[in-house]
Amino acid sequence: MADEVPLPELFSGTFDDTTLDAWVADLTALASIDQVLLKGSERAHSAPGASVAAAVACLRRGASRGVQVWYRLGEEAWCDTLVRMGDTTRIVRMRVAPELQ
């Protein structure tokens, strides 16, 4: 169909705690944070969080099932989703299409 919007490309990986700390520091220093969402439980809707560092702290201690960070870096908008998996954190990154910004 001509009016379909193509799905954005996804990037994924796994962070150890040292890499997760570096991600928090880099994002806080370099990006403009639009929104931080916490996923409280399997059935709960996402709720706004205070900061990237506070959201990651909740994720690490098991108070949150996931974290989503919407941010701008330069002229592009991104969304990173984090899910804790034992001692590591899975990240899925998506560039936000201009029509969704």
Side-chain angles (χ1 to χ4, degrees):
M1 296 184 155
D3 59 348
E4 285 186 24
V5 176
L7 293 175
E9 189 173 0
L10 298 178
F11 306 91
S12 67
T14 305
F15 289 163
D16 60 17
D17 282 339
T18 302
T19 306
L20 183 58
D21 289 339
W23 175 84
V24 170
D26 288 348
L27 206 61
T28 302
L30 302 173
S32 173
I33 307 299
D34 293 328
Q35 188 172 29
V36 178
L37 300 172
L38 295 164
K39 180 72 171 171
S41 70
E42 213 172 273
R43 296 173 189 231
H45 295 286
S46 295
S51 69
V52 175
V56 168
C58 285
L59 186 66
R60 280 185 165 148
R61 69 175 181 270
S64 175
R65 294 179 57 93
V67 171
Q68 201 171 60
V69 181
W70 294 76
Y71 63 96
R72 294 177 188 279
L73 191 56
E75 297 297 316
E76 296 186 348
W78 298 87
C79 177
D80 288 0
T81 301
L82 304 172
V83 177
R84 193 71 175 172
M85 300 171 53
D87 292 337
T88 63
T89 301
R90 177 173 167 80
I91 180 170
V92 176
R93 175 171 288 160
M94 174 185 76
R95 183 176 309 159
V96 179
E99 58 271 11
L100 299 176
Q101 296 180 27

